[in-house]
């Protein structure tokens, strides 16, 4: 059954437009789901298997997050070229969020993959 087209100005229409705007703004979030990123991340974690921040405190923690040292902010060049560092999710989520003053930063789950919000 075809879904009825929502009337302009209806709540459904508003919500769809909001979703569209959000996905445009965070288009780069989809880059994390590509095979290209998967292999890049793997290479980084193999080259540097321990969390860099933990290591500074003498802790040996397996890293699962391939983090952009410099925030890419949706810049495709920076996103793919790096430089990268390996972090544990705890350090990525806590210290990086703080370092970037509450700007849009991905939160990573224990498995080292970005968590989708909502
Ligand atoms: Zn750490």
């Amino acid at each position: 059954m075809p879904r009825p087209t929502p009337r302009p100005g209806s709540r459904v229409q508003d919500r769809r437009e909001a979703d569209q705007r959000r996905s445009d703004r965070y288009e780069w979030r989809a880059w994390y789901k590509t095979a290209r990123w998967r292999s890049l991340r793997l290479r980084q974690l193999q080259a540097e298997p321990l969390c860099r921040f933990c290591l500074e405190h003498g802790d040996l923690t397996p890293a699962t997050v391939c983090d952009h040292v410099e925030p890419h902010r949706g810049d495709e060049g920076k996103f793919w070229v790096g430089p990268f560092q390996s972090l544990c999710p705890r350090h990525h989520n806590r210290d990086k969020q703080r370092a970037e003053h509450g700007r849009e930063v991905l939160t990573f789950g224990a498995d080292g993959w970005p968590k989708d919000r909502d």
Side-chain angles (χ1 to χ4, degrees):
M1 250 233 309
R3 288 169 66 172
T5 310
R7 279 175 293 111
S10 72
R11 284 173 87 163
V12 177
Q13 181 72 27
D14 287 350
R15 187 148 16 107
R16 280 193 197 166
E17 282 169 8
D19 285 349
Q20 186 56 43
R21 271 198 300 277
R22 191 161 45 206
S23 63
D24 286 350
R25 194 168 152 215
Y26 302 133
E27 191 202 351
W28 49 267
R29 295 174 68 91
W31 301 342
Y32 283 99
K33 295 179 178 159
T34 60
R36 187 178 172 190
W37 174 258
R38 250 188 277 275
S39 66
L40 194 155
R41 167 185 179 270
L42 204 62
R43 271 204 310 275
Q44 170 62 31
L45 294 178
Q46 281 169 347
E48 192 184 335
L50 297 174
C51 168
R52 193 178 284 190
F53 291 178
C54 284
L55 214 52
E56 284 171 12
H57 301 285
D59 297 329
L60 305 182
T61 308
T64 52
V65 177
C66 173
D67 177 54
H68 295 84
V69 175
E70 232 183 283
H72 60 83
R73 304 199 198 293
D75 180 315
E76 215 170 337
K78 278 190 193 162
F79 186 91
W80 295 114
V81 175
F84 306 104
Q85 63 187 353
S86 300
L87 296 180
C88 68
R90 187 176 66 91
H91 268 125
H92 178 273
N93 296 344
R94 197 193 59 186
D95 293 2
K96 293 283 290 187
Q97 300 276 9
R98 198 181 296 151
E100 297 186 26
H101 304 290
R103 275 184 240 240
E104 171 71 5
V105 176
L106 280 185
T107 306
F108 284 75
D111 60 359
W113 289 97
K115 286 203 250 189
D116 284 319
R117 61 181 65 198
D118 355 281

